[in-house]
Amino acid sequence: MSTEVQLLNVQIDGVWLQFPKGTKVIDACQQAGKFIPRYCYHPKLSVPGNCRMCLIEMGMPKMTPDRKPVLGPDGKPEIGWIPRPQISCAQDVSEGMGVRTDSPMVKECRQGVMEFLLINHPLDCPICDQAGECRLQEFSVEYGNAHSRFLERKVKKPKNVELGPRVTLDAERCVLCSRCIRFMKEVAHDDVLGFVDRGGFSTIACHPEKTLESNYSLNTVDICPVGALTSTDFRFKMRVWFLKETKSIDVNDGLGCNILIGSREGHIYRITPRENNDVNGNWIPDSHRLNFKVLQDGSRLLHPTVDSKKSTWPEAVAAAHSQLKAASKLAMVVSARLTNEELYLAKRLASALHITLHDVLPRVGEPDGILIPADRNPNTAGARLLGATTETPGSQLKDILTGVRNGTITGILSLGEDLLECGFTHDDLAKLKALVATSILPNATTAAAHVVLPGAAFAEKRGSMININGRLQRLNKAFEPAGECRDDWEILSDLLSATGQTHALHSVEDVFRSMSQDVPAFEGLNLGKIGDLGLQLLTKPEAATA
Amino acid sequence: MDFLNDIPWMLIAASIAKTLFLIFGVVLPIVSYTVYAERRVSALIQDRLGPNRTGFPISLFGFQKDLQLFLGGLGQPVADAMKFLLKEEFTPGHVNKFYFWLAPVLAMVPALSTLAVLPFGNFLFGQKMVVADVNVGILYVFAVASVGVYGIVLAGWSSNSKYPFLGSIRASSQMISYELSLGLSAVPVLMIIGNLNLSEAIQYQIDNGWLLLPFTDGKLTLRELLLWIPVLVSFIIFTISMFAETNRLPFDLPESETELVAGYHTEYSAMKFALFFLGEYAAMIAGSSIIVVLFLGGWHVPFLPINTLESSTTPSGIALGFLHITAFFAKVVGILIFFIWVRWTLPRFRFDQLMKLGWLYLFEIALVNIFITAAILAWVK
Amino acid sequence: MAYTVRRPNLTFWEKLYLPNIVAGLAITFNHLKKMLKGETHVVMQYPEEKWDAHLPEYYRGAPTLVTDEHGRERCVSCQLCEFICPPRAIKITPGSLPSDSQFAKVEKAPEAFDIDMSRCIYCGLCEEVCPEQAIYLRKDYAVTGESRADMVHHKDKLYELGGTMPGLVHKWNPDK
């Protein structure tokens, strides 16, 4: 049992409210619906209090000589206001405290701070990638002046500086909030950034002989409240107001970081982290957020092929089925990158085709101690839960390989995996009488396969996955699959129909409904109930064994 | 083979020649240029210019520019005709096909048939310039003209569509109503002339002065002066009724665009539509011709000598014959211009006003007019 | 609530209609006469007569791009016009200026700038929204083409139509 948290009475703009002890004033005000502008304050980082934007008027209860609060006619304590403004980010609430967030003094303070911050600003919003999501723009409109009184020459600072391989700095736009410095030190544990020079010439810079090359460097771009740090990859590619932001999850490792897919007209321009304190906090590794590029380098499989010839979907599905039916013994290799719905259909397809040997390819790497876990498959737990693999993923791959080598297995259905990674050789693939593969990108397996069915990438499909901690999370469709590609669940349900099974699966929601009837763990759930932040389906040990 | 000798070959040949000349040489060109005149005059009345660009496309034959005659745009009717001929002959799926195709023919044929009995000139090349010089001329005209309503009714009915249907209902009631006053207003004229033959009507006017302008024979008697009053009334009623019969504004309710899209021919396009269009203008020409014959002395030009059958082959006789034909159509064109002028001046009647005018005023006035004429004829010998 | 409009009381002559009809015919005839005498001039005979000399200052013709007096293309491809364009006629592919460029400080310039003139509605919102004063609606109105592709004005065509618009935008001056 946790200890009772003490609730404190605080007056915010004349209204008495209660907040737990330890709440920062800036957060208390926000919870009370009074947003306080801020640059340097970030709830996940330490508090330096150096931007001075969150100034408020504060007061403490008047005390009688015997240390009792003086009560006003309404029975509430009378507040003695401090004549100077205070920063709300470095201040915890205390009993009887009074806060004014929109008094004339506060407004004047904010106006002054905005004026100072904009003195040396180059006003290059038309070319700045931050435009549209820039706190300077927003607060200038909300709290600042419409004009500048500054007649002197602006200070010149370095522009277009490559801080690291993925981050570009424009020092003229910087408001010196130090969020990036604190992030690198406190979260990424790679203390490379700092201030150099003095006064008006202060700039952000890397420590000598170091560059900003941490795998988390792009998070500094996300938390930079202005356009000082920009992503070299996203630089000048697209204005942010054109991007359609789709809430989804990252599929590059077992954690499943929550992300926003920024896309326009079927093209992903950037991926940014989405706050989920139960999964990834506010961060995401650079390697994961830039991995969408492989989908857009023009190598995608765009149409179904039968014997390396372009085909149509009905023909390809029929050809796949007749190939598989003709093979004497079949095995199936499933990817643990598929969603639960796809794995569920794969399992149904396996029983329809009398496949008993099936497994997933495990992917294991070094955990980085921050966000990236050892398991690099996004849905190993789902694969286990739905019976696509055993407790030890990949343990049956050897049997399949042996079966192929000694000729007992003549057909393989590969769902999204390259068999070469599973230990097969080109000769093994050539021996197979039937090889049907679904894939997004071309590889040795699709080159050798008799029927290739191109599936949808993570941004093109809706579905659910279970991460290493047993959390059920949801992918959402940002745009339609490229070319003639189709959602994998559609391909699988068509194959299922081809085997003669009747089903009423017309949407991915139908698949989930069917799955929730067949798999006890999903009972009572549907895709809508998962929510944007996911829900805890299994305990962590359960997820590891299922 | 005697019966071959009995057939009046000369008469048949002459009739065919006269018909072809009348329809293709005169009426159809007048129709197309009436359409052009309609557009130009309406434009000029409204301070616009109208079609003034289309010349005769001689540039197709290697000339530098198209031929532009004085006002410009004289090639427009040719271009319009080409367009109508070349458009897709489209029949909507929901129509009654047979009557849909029959209707435009029924609109065009009666209008042209009425021309048969019109004496459009005196003698020329030893021939009387009328296709059929029948004794019941004016009755024939009324009889055939009233068939024209079938074209419109069938068009509206077979289109299976609400606007054409409403248009054709209006057309039938309107045309039947105004046929009454049309016929009655012609009776005084026929009483004065004492003959139904249209050539005789012209001969009477040559002898006694045009009915509307009785001084054209050079003298003015009391009888003519007294008769002039009922003739003027007859002329006005006849003209108004003719407007209504030909569905011209201010009586164009069967095709009033603001209410019925295009009225009875909403579903028509291409040449079928063109037939309605031509039929309407041909009916205008027929109507104008009757007005000219009954009231304005037909082909007669005052104070000029008259051809006889014998003199019509001499050079001066031929010239005179052509002059008379020209005079007839000049008068017709004058009336046509008046038709157009009225159209672009007056607004459309409301349907109840139209019916009231026909049944409560024109019909009664025409009836009374007959008795007045009879009284005058009885009183003044 | 219905309310009744009183009909005017007509005199005998008015009830007869004919005099008024004659008066109406006189009016239309006068119009015809004046047109024939050339006293009325309302219609403009387009290809021979043009309005060009009388186009007002604020006339909104084809949108164009302009360069400044140093030859710098003013557009920095901020894509605000693409955003504001009601018929979505504008399509911009942003690009960056090379670091050895004379105008390297601007950093950004359009790689491609297409205006589909078959979509443009000449509303002028692009000119209004442009923060760099780079897009102007000039007085070209006879925009023609033989195909849809012809109707798309590419970057070079837009600069050709737009020409130079002097007047300093101090922002990109490296010394300022």
Side-chain angles (χ1 to χ4, degrees), chain B residues 35-36 39-40 43 48-54 71-74 76:
Chain B
V35 178
Y36 170 74
R39 295 172 68 183
R40 274 320 277 271
R48 294 182 290 113
L49 290 170
N52 66 342
R53 297 268 163 176
T54 319
L71 276 171
L74 286 178
Q76 192 67 44

Side-chain angles (χ1 to χ4, degrees), chain A residues 281-302:
Chain A
N282 294 47
W283 327 118
I284 174 180
D286 293 1
S287 51
H288 293 8
R289 82 160 82 199
L290 292 176
N291 207 22
F292 70 88
K293 304 236 124 195
V294 295
L295 298 173
Q296 293 177 177
D297 61 3
S299 62
R300 275 283 291 267
L301 296 168
L302 291 175

Side-chain angles (χ1 to χ4, degrees), chain A residues 514-532:
Chain A
S514 173
M515 182 168 71
S516 68
Q517 281 156 12
D518 290 356
V519 183
F522 293 107
E523 205 177 322
L525 285 177
N526 60 39
L527 274 177
K529 279 188 187 165
I530 295 174
D532 291 332

